[in-house]
Amino acid sequence: MPIHTLLEQQSARIETLEMRVTYQEDWLEKLDTRLLEQQRLIEQLQQGQRLLLQRLQEEHDSQGGEYDWHTLDERPPHY
């Protein structure tokens, strides 16, 4: 097989690999961005949940009642 044919094949293989790497780098960057967005959303939801539980506790305390707040974290029996 002539050397120029081998070089062309190698060049084509390298180009294909470079395109794959470029695509994967782009995909990983988009994935990383999406994961950061989701992490921020999770943190916001957790903060909102804490505030709601705090307000619920304050409302309940202002009415003089007692409640076991640990039962809020338990799954209902139908799960």
Side-chain angles (χ1 to χ4, degrees), residues 7-48:
L7 290 174
E8 287 175 4
Q9 288 176 347
Q10 287 295 87
S11 179
R13 289 180 68 197
I14 290 171
E15 186 177 330
T16 300
L17 290 172
E18 288 175 341
M19 287 189 305
R20 281 181 162 177
V21 167
T22 301
Y23 173 78
Q24 289 176 354
E25 287 175 345
D26 182 56
W27 188 83
L28 285 173
E29 186 176 320
K30 289 176 182 177
L31 180 61
D32 185 52
T33 299
R34 186 67 179 136
L35 286 173
L36 288 172
E37 290 170 359
Q38 288 180 348
Q39 182 60 37
R40 285 188 206 111
L41 177 59
I42 289 170
E43 290 170 359
Q44 290 172 354
L45 292 170
Q46 287 173 333
Q47 179 65 21

